[in-house]
Amino acid sequence: MNLFADIRSRVIACLDQLVADGTLPDGLSTAAVAVEPPRDAAHGDMATNAAMVLAKTAKMNPRAIAEALAAKLLEDPMIAVAEVAGPGFLNMRLVLDVWQDVVKAALRDPAYGKSEMGKGQKVLVEFVSTNPTGPVHVGHTRGAVFGDTLASLLDYAGYNVTREYYINDGGAQVDVLARSVYLRYQEAHDLSVDWPEGTYPGDYLIEVGEALKAKVGDKFLDKGEQFWLQEVREFATDAMMDLIRDDLSRLGVEMDNFFSEKSLYGTGLIEKAISKLDAKGLIYRGTLEPPKGKVPEDWEPREQTLFKSTDFGDDVDRPVKKSDGSWTYFAPDIAYHYDKIQRGFDQLIDVFGADHGGYVKRMKAAVSALSDGQVPLDVKLTQLVKLYKNGEPFKMSKRAGTFVTLRDVVDQVGPDVTRFHMLTRKNDAPLDFDFDKVLEQSKDNPVFYVNYAYARVNSAVAKAAAFATVDDATLAEVDISGLTDPAELTMIKKLAEWPRLVEIAARGHEPHRIAFYLYDLASDFHGLYNKGHDDPSLRFVQEGDSETTQAKIALIRAVAIVISHGLGILGITPAEEMR
């Protein structure tokens, strides 16, 4: 049941009637007609912009359209009031029975709020994709939570979602990793080593060095790197990916697929993708002007092979092959995304860190060119996370050597708190993560506040079960016409927004909206709970009155069900009780 979609369909039906009777001209597009909560709840239950968006095409005064539409809507038994406001906005109030049916729908339908909007479209969400050179750090933790939650949200909205991690194992940083592991390997043989600048001195490589010793013994000691680099590189990459998988698992993130950058080299995949662009007339030889400001690594004042990315909205054309014939960093990324297209995905989503902002336009250009504009690419950037503890910036992990890790965070506050708090800001806004505040038991801690609402429902249900039947099947059939207090109706109206909110969040790739909604729903619940202190008739359990109790328990069980659905999207297990 999506009440907002239902009312919108009724608005559209009324507009069709106005066309049929000649009040409105034929051929009007209703695609932009929306039904949504009014900005001010005092104005009504729902509002529509129908008259405002149709007026220009219809060549009519929007208020005249709104008045005609209001008259038609009042013929609908679900509409109690339809009032024109301002230049042509239309506010509506629904009959009480409609709102009370929302509670029953949530209790009867285990999939309440789920959408078929995606129609099974195949979506690939690529996220984390950190270099396989060490543990997942806190910046990638935010990207991991965002990407995983977005994937869950899209799945909930009817899309066929694949989670993918791109292993950056084709670049020079993996050679640096191999050399760093080799130093730990030497230490495992009780040799003293010097750590050159740029290597990875974190303690996490000690075990890898010891494991390499256990595997090969002294085979690589006193040997030049031409004898060991390739084998150690593969050994070290596998060890780091095992570490990264374990880190992600601690956060509740499980990938469907891992794609190796290395698999693009020597297989013809890069050449195939560039040839595809060349066949479209989008590859040429040329020399770029030096960019303003900081000069990027792939720029050189010599003739290079360039991709006409400016044809697709980029600021400058981008090099794909250097003057020495080697590929730029961009070339394998083009090939990787071409492979995504070839795998038949209908939509692509990349989750990058904020430092990849300059990469967005060129990547979108490449996907648009390779797919003939048929496969959209949305790149979501996650901003930095600042950590605090005891009022001070949280220091780095000794194990990691230079940064705070995902494991540091999860070990201190747990995966559920970590996941929820990472979604308390939109992905492109900076986020402060205070270890003390995220564990507070207060309204200011969203994850506590939402879980507390769920636990309070369970407590009330258990108490009511002593004298009333309160299973969901029974509650779905009870008479709830007595739920008329403004606080009760406010909460029911918030429940009605859930299916609409899911679709809005999924359409905009904005999983933070789920966290925000859950906090608002919990606030409405706690507000009603607290009103019961002053007005005993609003208490959820009415001793000795099973019918009234059942009605009130039906309402809060519907709240608990929606909270459970929402937390499920966030990858969080609801707290059955608070301790």
Side-chain angles (χ1 to χ4, degrees), residues 278-473:
D278 194 19
K280 295 174 180 287
L282 298 172
I283 299 294
Y284 70 100
R285 296 284 294 175
T287 303
L288 292 174
E289 292 293 322
K292 296 178 181 180
K294 185 178 179 181
V295 178
E297 294 180 6
D298 59 359
W299 181 84
E300 51 182 304
R302 288 174 290 212
E303 189 177 64
Q304 303 174 85
T305 302
L306 303 170
F307 162 49
K308 289 184 181 178
S309 55
T310 50
D311 286 5
F312 302 89
D314 199 1
D315 300 322
V316 296
D317 291 341
R318 303 293 179 176
V320 294
K321 184 180 284 187
K322 301 176 185 177
S323 58
D324 64 3
S326 62
W327 297 115
T328 64
Y329 291 122
F330 187 35
D333 287 338
I334 292 175
Y336 173 43
H337 283 76
Y338 182 53
D339 182 84
K340 293 179 181 181
I341 294 168
Q342 292 296 102
R343 282 186 270 160
F345 288 102
D346 300 301
Q347 291 186 43
L348 305 179
I349 301 171
D350 290 348
V351 180
F352 293 160
D355 56 339
H356 283 68
Y359 219 64
V360 175
K361 286 185 177 180
R362 73 187 73 176
M363 206 66 258
K364 285 191 170 186
V367 170
S368 181
L370 289 166
S371 70
D372 296 319
Q374 297 303 302
V375 179
L377 167 66
D378 187 16
V379 180
K380 310 299 286 190
L381 302 177
T382 55
Q383 278 290 345
L384 298 176
V385 178
K386 294 181 180 179
L387 300 174
Y388 296 90
K389 191 170 187 180
N390 300 322
E392 301 290 336
F394 186 63
K395 301 302 181 182
M396 65 191 67
S397 164
K398 179 178 184 297
R399 175 173 167 79
T402 56
F403 51 81
V404 179
T405 68
L406 177 158
R407 196 169 300 203
D408 291 328
V409 176
V410 173
D411 284 351
Q412 293 212 31
V413 302
D416 287 355
V417 170
T418 302
R419 291 186 68 111
F420 199 108
H421 198 75
M422 288 290 175
L423 293 163
T424 54
R425 294 289 183 275
K426 193 178 180 197
N427 60 284
D428 58 4
L431 175 72
D432 290 345
F433 192 105
D434 189 310
F435 285 97
D436 300 314
K437 290 183 178 179
V438 300
L439 293 176
E440 282 182 356
Q441 294 192 354
S442 74
K443 181 180 180 180
D444 296 328
N445 179 4
V447 64
F448 166 79
Y449 206 51
V450 172
N451 268 318
Y452 192 27
Y454 189 84
R456 271 181 161 173
V457 171
N458 289 342
S459 177
V461 170
K463 187 175 181 182
F467 63 92
T469 304
V470 288
D471 61 277
D472 289 348

Side-chain angles (χ1 to χ4, degrees), residues 241-259:
M241 288 309 303
D242 287 342
L243 176 64
I244 289 168
R245 286 186 181 93
D246 185 60
D247 283 349
L248 294 176
S249 179
R250 287 168 178 257
L251 195 59
V253 176
E254 299 290 340
M255 294 290 175
D256 297 309
N257 191 41
F258 289 83
F259 190 103

